[in-house]
């Protein structure tokens, strides 16, 4: 996780996914996660923010959606 002037970010290879400072707990969680998790497990965010962050990470190829 990176701390930036206007928030926080996760860097994967050449890509950067950023969020406001209120995303810090979720970004830390993501950077430390080694096991599958549910979107609702992302800490410190509203349900809408959790969904948007997960959607962004899936679209950008950083997360995969598991079924079942």
């Amino acid at each position: 996780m990176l701390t930036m002037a206007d928030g926080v970010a996760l860097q994967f290879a050449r890509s950067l996914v950023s969020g406001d400072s209120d995303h810090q707990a979720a970004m830390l969680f993501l950077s430390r996660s080694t096991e599958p998790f549910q979107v609702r497990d992302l800490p410190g965010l509203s349900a809408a923010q959790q969904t948007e962050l997960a959607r962004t990470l899936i679209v950008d190829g950083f997360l995969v959606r598991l079924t079942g």
Side-chain angles (χ1 to χ4, degrees):
M1 187 190 80
L2 304 170
T3 302
M4 305 178 72
D6 59 345
V8 293
L10 289 177
Q11 183 174 4
F12 302 94
R14 295 183 186 185
S15 297
L16 191 69
V17 175
S18 59
D20 295 333
S21 59
D22 63 347
H23 283 61
Q24 184 172 359
M27 296 293 204
L28 277 172
F29 173 85
L30 289 164
S31 70
R32 295 175 178 167
S33 292
T34 59
E35 298 292 327
F37 61 88
Q38 295 188 12
V39 173
R40 68 174 179 243
D41 295 336
L42 293 170
L45 301 176
S46 68
Q49 289 173 308
Q50 290 171 328
T51 301
E52 181 60 24
L53 179 57
R55 184 197 65 78
T56 299
L57 292 168
I58 290 169
V59 167
D60 289 348
F62 301 129
L63 290 181
V64 294
R65 185 176 179 198
L66 299 178
T67 57

